[in-house]
Amino acid sequence: MSFSLPDLPYAYDALGPYMSAETLEFHHDKHHQAYVTNGNKLLEGSGLEGKSLEEIVKESYGKNQGLFNNAGQHYNHIHFWKWMKPNGGGKSLPGKLAKAVDSDLGGYDKFREDFLAAGAGQFGSGWAWLTLKDGKLEVTKTPNGESPLVHGGVPLLGVDVWEHSYYIDYRNARPKYLEAFFDNLVNWEYVEELYEAAS
């Protein structure tokens, strides 16, 4: 399969004031497009043509760094756009997910605190994650374009902490961006959908 840039599931200005149209235009149309363009070039002759995106990410990890960087980021961003929605966030998580957050992560408040800390504590570029691994939820972080996919887990929620994701709107205040994301943008229904599919 070749990579293609998905449309955003909402208008550029739909996530304001928490994420600006300018950020989404640059992030989606320039950064994500570059991962798609470069990924397609690097996929040619890699021996991984015709595989699913998840397989390409897993099989290029540690073996074909250039391809992995672009395929990994393409995978992460396909989900990142769906992990957000207008009027998202809030404390009322869907039933099964809420139960798992209580039993595995010590409840919503502890989960929120740990997720924000993972994002703020990721040195340099990377991601913070809610992951399903060995049947349990955990909060993790990864550098650059890595995701739980290459560490034996299933990503259920991820936040991009590369500077291009927040610098236009928040400058260097990454913690403020993370709070805005978690409290106002997260599409918990999509997180639940991924959780159901993975469990």
Side-chain angles (χ1 to χ4, degrees):
M1 61 169 278
S2 60
F3 306 151
S4 58
L5 185 70
D7 291 334
L8 285 176
Y10 30 71
Y12 287 114
D13 62 359
L15 302 183
Y18 309 106
M19 191 174 281
S20 66
E22 187 183 5
T23 287
L24 277 172
E25 281 171 15
F26 272 95
H27 197 169
H28 176 269
D29 298 8
K30 301 283 192 288
H31 290 282
H32 191 174
Q33 180 65 64
Y35 302 135
V36 167
T37 304
N38 295 329
N40 280 328
K41 283 181 195 154
L42 292 160
L43 188 57
E44 282 174 38
S46 67
L48 298 175
E49 305 92 331
K51 299 210 176 233
S52 73
L53 178 56
E54 289 194 12
E55 287 172 320
I56 293 166
V57 170
K58 287 178 186 171
E59 291 180 34
S60 63
Y61 180 62
K63 297 184 188 111
N64 183 336
Q65 195 61 44
L67 177 57
F68 172 76
N69 289 343
N70 288 279
Q73 282 289 76
H74 178 45
Y75 172 87
N76 294 351
H77 282 81
I78 284 174
H79 291 290
F80 185 57
W81 310 129
K82 294 182 192 171
W83 278 320
M84 297 184 288
K85 68 173 188 177
N87 306 308
K91 290 187 176 188
S92 57
L93 276 49
K96 283 185 186 171
L97 184 65
K99 277 187 192 141
V101 164
D102 286 344
S103 63
D104 297 350
L105 301 176
Y108 174 88
D109 291 336
K110 177 86 169 63
F111 163 40
R112 179 183 181 275
E113 185 187 326
D114 290 348
F115 188 86
L116 298 183
Q122 171 54 41
F123 184 75
S125 298
W127 293 73
W129 303 98
L130 173 66
T131 306
L132 184 68
K133 190 172 181 184
D134 303 325
K136 287 186 86 97
L137 296 181
E138 56 182 40
V139 172
T140 56
K141 61 184 181 186
T142 56
N144 303 316
E146 281 180 34
S147 77
L149 213 50
V150 299
H151 300 291
V154 180
L156 303 180
L157 172 66
V159 63
D160 188 348
V161 296
W162 288 57
E163 282 190 339
H164 63 234
S165 193
Y166 61 88
Y167 210 82
I168 289 169
D169 300 327
Y170 298 91
R171 294 300 183 248
N172 62 334
R174 188 192 284 181
K176 276 192 182 153
Y177 154 72
L178 289 165
E179 286 177 12
F181 171 85
F182 200 89
D183 295 340
N184 303 286
L185 294 177
V186 174
N187 181 350
W188 290 117
E189 287 71 31
Y190 185 58
V191 178
E192 161 106 323
E193 200 181 300
L194 294 175
Y195 177 59
E196 297 239 316
S199 49

